[in-house]
Amino acid sequence: TASIIKKLTELSFEKVVHHIVTCDCQPTMAVQPNGILVCVNGNLIIDDGQNPMKFAQCFHLLPDPSSAGNYWVH
């Protein structure tokens, strides 16, 4: 992990803007009651560049049993 942290801290960009193109949310009743699977696709604009990088990210939100109405990322 030290080499990963070193590499990330040495990257030369200063600004990254996320442009979300699509966001799809689906309930996950069979896996975890009241969970939500979130999938996001979009573009990353690095240092005002003209050629955005594509990104996709999925994460699973699960209800926080100790705090009604709150979720945590699984």
Side-chain angles (χ1 to χ4, degrees):
T1 49
S3 61
I4 294 172
I5 292 171
K6 181 177 184 297
K7 177 65 176 178
L8 290 173
T9 58
E10 291 175 350
L11 293 173
S12 62
F13 62 84
E14 304 227 353
K15 180 174 82 168
V16 177
V17 176
H18 295 75
H19 286 157
I20 296 173
V21 176
T22 62
C23 179
D24 183 49
C25 303
Q26 298 293 325
T28 58
M29 299 303 236
V31 177
Q32 173 72 32
N34 301 318
I36 303 170
L37 181 64
V38 180
C39 297
V40 180
N41 294 297
N43 299 309
L44 299 175
I45 309 294
I46 300 172
D47 290 334
D48 298 320
Q50 298 300 311
N51 298 313
M53 295 176 61
K54 303 293 183 186
F55 80 91
Q57 183 171 9
C58 292
F59 50 96
H60 195 186
L61 297 175
L62 296 177
D64 184 347
S66 64
S67 182
N70 290 321
Y71 289 80
W72 59 279
V73 177
H74 181 256

